[in-house]
């Protein structure tokens, strides 16, 4: 149990498979990075053990941007996958940033909804208080709307 901004959340240590997933996301965005077009890569491990990776796509009109997590989820579903075990997103710095380190980032609200809708037991890898951990998606989207509520 860790505290994040005053809230206690259940965290799980990363496994070798989780580090492999992070490296896959990093590799994807390193290969495809372009200023103002692609700066986030994502990788997910499906319940069947397959890894699907993607990069985000950005248009000059920001509302058209599609997150890397959403593209990876869509690709997995389009290829017959039924659920996801773990997902991660990695941010590549823009070319004018001094810090050149790729960092694990938390999914946005829309991606949290998407992950939860398609795989409510999915783990999300993120950084909490300077440490890489994984949490269940339900920790990131408590009291989620559902038809049963």
């Amino acid at each position: 149990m860790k505290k994040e901004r005053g809230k206690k959340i259940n965290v799980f240590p990363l496994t070798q498979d989780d580090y492999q997933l992070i490296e896959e996301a990093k590799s994807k965005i390193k290969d495809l990075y372009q200023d103002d077009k692609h700066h986030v890569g994502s990788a997910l491990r499906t319940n069947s053990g397959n890894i699907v990776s993607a990069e985000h796509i950005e248009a000059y009109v920001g509302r058209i941007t599609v997150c890397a997590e959403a593209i990876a989820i869509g690709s997995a579903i389009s290829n017959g996958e039924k659920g996801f075990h773990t997902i991660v997103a990695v941010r590549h710095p823009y070319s004018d940033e001094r810090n050149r380190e790729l960092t694990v980032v938390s999914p946005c609200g829309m991606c949290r909804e998407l992950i939860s809708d398609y795989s409510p037991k999915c783990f999300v890898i993120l950084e909490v208080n300077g440490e890489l951990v994984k949490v269940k998606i339900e920790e990131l989207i408590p009291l989620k709307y559902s038809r049963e509520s």
Side-chain angles (χ1 to χ4, degrees):
M1 181 92 57
K2 288 207 180 269
K3 275 187 132 178
E4 168 68 3
R5 296 184 189 164
K7 179 187 171 212
K8 291 182 181 180
I9 60 172
N10 294 309
V11 299
F12 300 85
L14 269 57
T15 65
Q16 195 60 36
D17 285 345
D18 297 327
Y19 286 107
Q20 178 188 15
L21 208 57
I22 293 168
E23 289 306 311
E24 175 64 26
K26 285 181 176 181
S27 177
K28 177 62 76 173
I29 197 55
K30 280 181 192 175
D31 290 345
L32 299 173
Y33 174 79
Q34 290 182 39
D35 265 349
D36 298 326
K37 290 192 179 181
H38 313 293
H39 71 272
V40 176
S42 180
L44 65 84
R45 183 178 308 282
T46 67
N47 287 341
S48 64
N50 293 322
I51 294 177
V52 178
S53 61
E55 78 286 349
H56 106 289
I57 55 174
E58 188 170 312
Y60 291 110
V61 178
R63 293 181 67 195
I64 302 173
T65 296
V66 182
C67 296
E69 300 96 322
I71 295 172
I73 289 168
S75 178
I77 291 169
S78 295
N79 286 299
E81 295 291 348
K82 300 294 184 199
F84 319 119
H85 185 272
T86 307
I87 191 166
V88 64
V90 175
R91 180 188 179 276
H92 190 293
Y94 286 105
S95 61
D96 63 351
E97 292 182 68
R98 294 178 92 160
N99 183 349
R100 304 306 302 154
E101 186 176 335
L102 278 71
T103 55
V104 170
V105 293
S106 184
C108 73
M110 289 188 295
C111 286
R112 291 174 190 207
E113 284 281 345
L114 194 60
I115 295 164
S116 179
D117 285 351
Y118 283 90
S119 205
K121 300 297 180 193
C122 188
F123 286 99
V124 179
I125 299 172
L126 44 84
E127 187 177 317
V128 176
N129 300 325
E131 180 183 355
L132 290 177
V133 296
K134 61 185 178 183
V135 301
K136 294 272 188 160
I137 187 62
E138 62 197 16
E139 292 279 358
L140 299 179
I141 189 163
L143 306 174
K144 177 180 171 29
Y145 169 82
S146 73
R147 286 185 265 187
E148 291 80 38
S149 299

